[in-house]
Amino acid sequence: MKALLAIARKDLLLRFSSRSEWLFFLILPLAFTAILGGGFNFGGDGDPRLPLFVVDEDGSGLSAALLADLGRSSTVQAHERSRAEAEAGVEDDEAAAALIVPAGFGASLAAGEQARIVLISAPGDIDVLAIGQAVRESAARVGVAVAAARVSREEAEARRPFSSPSERQVYFEEGLRLAQETADNTPQRLKVTSATQADRGLADYSQPAQASAGGIVTWVFIPLLGISALFAYERSGGTLRRLVTTPVARSTFLLGTIGGQSLTALAQIALLVVFAAAVFQVPWGRSPVALVVIMVTFVLSSAALGTALGALVRTEAQASGLSIMLGMVLSLLGGCWYPIELFPSAVQAAVHLLPTTWAMQAMTDITMRGQDLAQVLPEAGVLLGFAVAFFVLGVARFRYE
Amino acid sequence: MRKLWAIGRKDLIVLFRDRAALILMLAAPLALTVGLGLVTGGFSGGQTGLRDIPLVVVNLDQGPLGAGLTDLLQDDDLQSLLEPAFLDDPAEARRQVEEDAAAAAILIPQGFSAGVLPDAGGAVGPPAAIELIQNPGRPTGSAIVASIVSGYVLRLQAGEVGAQVVVSQLVASGRMLRQQIPVEAPAIGRRLAGNASNFSLIQIESDVAAAEAPASFNPLAYIAPAMALLFLMYTVGMGARSLLLEHEQGTLARLRASPTSESQVLGGKLFGTFLTGVAQLAILITATTLFFRLEWGSPLGLAALILAASAGATGWGAVLAAVTRSPSQVGSIGAALMLSFGILGGSFFSVELGPPLLQALARLTPNYWGLQGFTALASGGTLADLAGPIAVLWFMGLALFLAAVLVFRRRGAARG
């Protein structure tokens, strides 16, 4: 036991001999979780909606109705601008898009004709998709009200013509007002809920939860793969060979190195979990047992992969490079940066060969779906399976020189 | 100049012979480009994995509206987007979403149609709502399903609202008798809901801000330079590490003993870093052009941008070498700088819509200006359009180089 502790202590001293290690251990993970989890709102106005510049060149009641509907959107935050300001703003990336309501918009609709609006977007900006959807929904709602008023006027005219154009116009405007009022009072026909344990009061998809889980996997996974560099360092310095002359068993050495790094990783996870729970109210604590089981199995599988990698690489530099590259690629493919639903279906199936995918899946189950130990046991089992397989490979291929 | 070239060339060769360094200089950016390309649909003409979205539907409604929705979900237009499965048990549907087997579940309750459509006597049943259960682990797929269902509900609302408006206005203006309502209202509602032109009264025209922008933007044209710039920072970190390693191993002192001035040694080392950066970007650009058929834009603009990006990044490498004390410190601070600049500079996502502080920090990174240039170039920009990013990158490189020289001199004076 003394030997184990001595080896673990030595590795920790080596790792934290440079103060810059704290950058990776805590500072960068916290900073990135804060930036990604906060939806980029630090120092902003606190509104998570996407800014959209709107230009009302029509000035009619119908253009105002469209902009008012957009103002109630949960996706976009509408800011009125002149056309020149809006165009310059999109080119300067102040907003991903600008909506122009041209002169004649209201007159066209009032005449029963189609009207057009123009959505100017920044090239290559993915936020444009969400903004476009919000604009389409508002346009459809206003269109429905206009259609109701228009059909109402046509029905009336077919039964008894209006005495004057102004009476016709008043009838239309009254119909439009009635349509908007009726739409507001229509019973709810669609109820959207989330597949979470409702009794636990969990929310649906949560960007802070995604950022926290993705951050934990990424920033804990990379240093654990770095165990390979520790082995390579000892091997290149000849200190591993020296161990043969001591009464320390190979298993004690491996256990000391891996155990020390794993405990450090668990401490790092604990700090990141507390941070996300305190700052972003990520519900990590709903099932503490499930959380502990998943984190321990994830750490074991990652440490085991680092051990296997350590048996395969030749130099410390090679190990460091491979750890960072594999860590980043496996985190990306495991869904830590973007949900894996965005991958083609063949890739979605293939990434189940990666421990990062199972770890992310389990963390999503805990934070977003509110699942407990029984429900995350399959993921824990797979992670444990990875741990056993990688450890067997690493120990079998382990060499002193 | 010959000495600068000789020192620079030597460093270039040493770094490109280091297989471990090549992993991060070339293999990692290419691997991440492929990964991100898969996410954004860069390899499939903009098609991401959002096809065949798994969906479960339980229709307990006996009327036409529930059937209308199930028909819509099986429509030919949605065939490649949705993969609906029809079940009888709402609990089973919920379970499938909870277990991540489906992106969403749609539960159409019994009496849904009766709550919207009046019966023969004109009576409408109690309102019932369709329930959409979304999978929080599949936010995009479930949002698409929500959008389709809410579109259907909007059509129903058009009929419902329209019928009420028409009828109440007709009655109020004396054009319809109250006893005609039960017969006429449903017919008017159906006409309104069934007329597709009612939902496209407002046409949305799309326009892309930059006049030169191509009709479609290949996401890889953003991802490939983003990853190349991310790992360019690794390369300049290696350059800084090489300088400190030479100092630690005593070869720097040996160089100083030769008829080579200190500024020539420092200049030569940084020139080597600059050359390595240029070679790295050139290789990555050639590889992505060959493997991914990526069009980078004007070759002249591309060459100018590669030189400028490498200069800007080398400036940061010089500062890194000046402020750190050992090769291992360069390793960890350099990697932290690489990741921070990558994230701030837009290598993983755009920070343009972020708060002012984040945007200001982004402008300190060569990644940001390099990406501005590469994106403008891929969007059809000319050399003139690149003048801003190129000027900033060269200014960044020279200013940081001067700052690094000052720090080196101060540290040299302190050592006596």
Side-chain angles (χ1 to χ4, degrees):
Chain A
M1 190 64 196
K2 246 177 89 180
L4 265 180
L5 286 175
I7 292 167
R9 184 171 169 273
K10 178 264 303 172
D11 285 337
L12 288 183
L13 284 176
L14 265 179
R15 182 171 164 188
F16 287 95
S17 59
S18 164
R19 271 182 293 179
S20 51
E21 178 60 29
W22 287 95
L23 275 173
F24 283 95
F25 184 73
L26 206 57
I27 298 169
L28 288 175
L30 289 184
F32 290 137
T33 305
I35 291 171
L36 298 175
F40 290 42
N41 276 314
F42 285 89
D45 58 6
D47 193 331
R49 295 177 298 171
L50 301 166
L52 168 71
F53 289 158
V54 291
V55 183
D56 186 0
E57 294 180 337
D58 188 45
S60 67
L62 284 168
S63 64
L66 176 65
L67 299 192
D69 194 275
L70 270 172
R72 292 190 288 271
S73 166
S74 58
T75 307
V76 299
Q77 186 188 18
H79 301 279
E80 278 215 51
R81 294 282 188 278
S82 70
R83 182 186 273 257
E85 286 169 346
E87 286 176 348
V90 173
E91 284 196 22
D92 294 342
D93 295 318
E94 289 170 31
L99 179 69
I100 315 281
V101 185
F105 169 83
S108 297
L109 287 178
E113 296 163 4
Q114 279 192 337
R116 68 181 186 96
I117 52 179
V118 183
L119 187 66
I120 302 174
S121 57
D125 195 322
I126 54 169
D127 291 332
V128 171
L129 294 174
I131 293 174
Q133 180 61 25
V135 171
R136 270 191 296 280
E137 283 174 10
S138 283
R141 273 192 293 272
V142 174
V144 161
V146 172
R150 193 184 68 171
V151 171
S152 182
R153 184 182 61 190
E154 284 165 3
E155 285 283 339
E157 203 154 32
R159 287 162 197 249
R160 190 177 73 221
F162 294 106
S163 59
S164 67
S166 64
E167 189 200 351
R168 192 172 182 272
Q169 183 60 24
V170 168
Y171 196 91
F172 175 80
E173 284 168 8
E174 174 61 13
L176 188 62
R177 189 193 61 76
L178 258 176
Q180 285 164 341
E181 198 178 281
T182 311
D184 290 342
N185 296 324
T186 305
Q188 192 188 16
R189 301 284 180 214
L190 177 64
K191 191 172 82 180
V192 181
T193 59
S194 189
T196 59
Q197 309 290 313
D199 55 325
R200 297 177 178 210
L202 299 181
D204 51 4
Y205 174 74
S206 149
Q207 179 56 30
Q210 163 78 21
S212 173
I216 286 173
V217 175
T218 305
W219 293 100
V220 171
F221 190 57
I222 294 176
L224 284 173
L225 293 189
I227 288 177
S228 58
L230 277 177
F231 288 142
Y233 171 78
E234 299 254 18
R235 205 159 36 225
S236 64
T239 43
L240 273 184
R241 171 53 58 189
R242 231 183 276 169
L243 273 174
V244 182
T245 63
T246 69
V248 174
R250 186 164 79 167
S251 57
T252 309
F253 169 73
L254 282 174
L255 209 60
T257 298
I258 296 163
Q261 297 303 317
S262 299
L263 286 175
T264 314
L266 286 171
Q268 186 185 14
I269 289 175
L271 291 170
L272 295 176
V273 161
V274 168
F275 173 78
V279 177
F280 295 115
Q281 286 77 51
V282 175
W284 279 114
R286 296 284 182 183
S287 177
V289 185
L291 178 66
V292 169
V293 168
I294 286 302
M295 293 309 177
V296 169
T297 49
F298 164 60
V299 164
L300 285 178
S301 66
S302 310
L305 183 55
T307 308
L309 202 61
L312 301 174
V313 293
R314 287 172 190 279
T315 65
E316 189 193 354
Q318 216 176 40
S320 300
L322 270 176
S323 303
I324 296 178
M325 187 185 89
L326 278 179
M328 291 178 80
V329 172
L330 266 57
S331 297
L332 166 66
L333 292 177
C336 303
W337 304 355
Y338 307 94
I340 59 168
E341 66 165 342
L342 298 175
F343 293 106
S345 45
V347 181
Q348 281 185 39
V351 294
H352 281 91
L353 293 172
L354 309 176
T356 44
T357 306
W358 292 92
M360 252 330 262
Q361 171 88 30
M363 292 187 204
T364 308
D365 284 348
I366 293 171
T367 54
M368 296 190 214
R369 298 194 182 92
Q371 295 188 353
D372 54 24
L373 179 64
Q375 290 160 306
V376 298
L377 272 181
E379 285 99 330
V382 174
L383 287 170
L384 209 56
F386 276 120
V388 171
F390 291 137
F391 272 132
V392 167
L393 176 70
V395 173
R397 298 290 303 266
F398 184 79
R399 59 192 196 281
Y400 286 100
E401 303 187 86
Chain B
M1 190 62 204
R2 264 181 57 193
K3 285 180 180 169
L4 278 183
W5 174 252
I7 297 171
R9 186 171 162 273
K10 185 268 295 173
D11 273 12
L12 175 75
I13 292 170
V14 167
L15 209 54
F16 269 88
R17 277 185 185 157
D18 181 349
R19 273 190 289 179
L22 289 180
I23 293 172
L24 279 176
M25 281 168 59
L26 302 176
L30 286 174
L32 282 169
T33 300
V34 171
L36 286 167
L38 288 171
V39 178
T40 55
F43 298 113
S44 48
Q47 294 286 325
T48 65
L50 289 168
R51 292 168 61 85
D52 303 323
I53 297 168
L55 169 71
V56 282
V57 185
V58 179
N59 181 15
L60 301 177
D61 183 40
Q62 309 291 322
L65 300 183
L69 179 55
T70 57
D71 287 349
L72 171 70
L73 297 170
Q74 298 172 89
D75 193 272
D76 286 347
D77 290 346
L78 298 176
Q79 203 176 14
S80 61
L81 185 65
L82 301 180
E83 199 174 278
F86 296 90
L87 306 174
D88 297 324
D89 181 9
E92 170 60 15
R94 179 179 284 276
R95 193 188 63 77
Q96 290 207 13
V97 181
E98 281 174 359
E99 292 185 356
D100 201 30
I106 299 171
L107 312 180
I108 308 169
Q110 199 172 12
F112 177 69
S113 296
V116 177
L117 304 172
D119 61 18
V124 178
I130 295 170
E131 188 178 2
L132 175 73
I133 305 168
Q134 293 184 306
N135 180 342
R138 297 177 185 246
T140 315
S142 57
I144 288 173
V145 175
S147 169
I148 292 166
V149 179
S150 62
Y152 180 76
V153 169
L154 191 70
R155 287 173 77 104
L156 295 184
Q157 199 188 23
E160 209 175 351
V161 170
Q164 285 189 44
V165 170
V166 172
V167 168
S168 56
Q169 279 200 293
L170 288 176
V171 171
S173 65
R175 288 175 169 92
M176 183 192 279
L177 299 172
R178 286 197 177 275
Q179 50 269 39
Q180 290 176 284
I181 295 176
V183 181
E184 299 229 26
I188 293 169
R190 274 194 295 277
R191 273 209 305 280
L192 268 160
N195 187 350
S197 67
N198 287 334
F199 307 97
S200 53
L201 268 178
I202 302 174
Q203 294 282 308
I204 303 169
E205 286 178 14
S206 292
D207 195 4
V208 178
E212 311 84 5
S216 64
F217 184 85
N218 184 350
L220 282 176
Y222 184 90
I223 296 163
M227 291 302 115
L229 290 163
L230 173 71
F231 287 92
L232 174 65
M233 285 307 297
Y234 166 78
T235 302
V236 300
M238 287 296 283
R241 188 171 177 273
S242 147
L243 189 65
L244 291 176
L245 212 57
E246 296 235 32
H247 175 70
E248 201 173 79
Q249 292 170 345
T251 43
L252 202 60
R254 229 184 278 172
L255 262 177
R256 281 202 207 107
S258 70
T260 309
S261 69
E262 191 161 332
S263 57
Q264 279 176 323
V265 173
L266 184 62
K269 296 293 292 180
L270 291 176
F271 184 55
T273 306
F274 170 75
L275 281 182
T276 312
V278 170
Q280 180 194 13
L281 286 180
I283 291 170
L284 287 173
I285 284 169
T286 308
T288 48
T289 308
L290 293 175
F291 297 154
F292 312 141
R293 299 188 178 172
L294 208 53
E295 289 179 13
W296 289 82
S298 145
L300 192 62
L302 188 60
L305 203 53
I306 288 175
L307 293 173
S310 187
T314 303
W316 278 107
V319 169
L320 193 60
V323 299
T324 50
R325 291 177 188 280
S326 68
S328 65
Q329 211 179 30
V330 173
S332 47
I333 296 183
L337 202 66
M338 174 183 102
L339 291 171
S340 309
F341 277 17
I343 292 177
L344 284 174
S347 289
F348 300 103
F349 38 77
S350 170
V351 291
E352 290 301 350
L353 302 177
L357 176 67
L358 209 62
Q359 291 189 35
L361 288 174
R363 282 162 172 74
L364 294 175
T365 69
N367 308 54
Y368 172 83
W369 293 105
L371 265 177
Q372 292 286 310
F374 283 117
T375 314
L377 202 60
S379 303
T382 60
L383 198 54
D385 298 318
L386 305 178
I390 287 176
V392 173
L393 284 165
W394 275 108
F395 175 76
M396 181 184 285
L398 291 173
L400 291 173
F401 173 71
L402 290 175
V405 169
L406 283 177
V407 176
F408 272 123
R409 285 205 177 141
R410 192 170 293 175
R411 277 171 60 172
R415 281 190 203 116

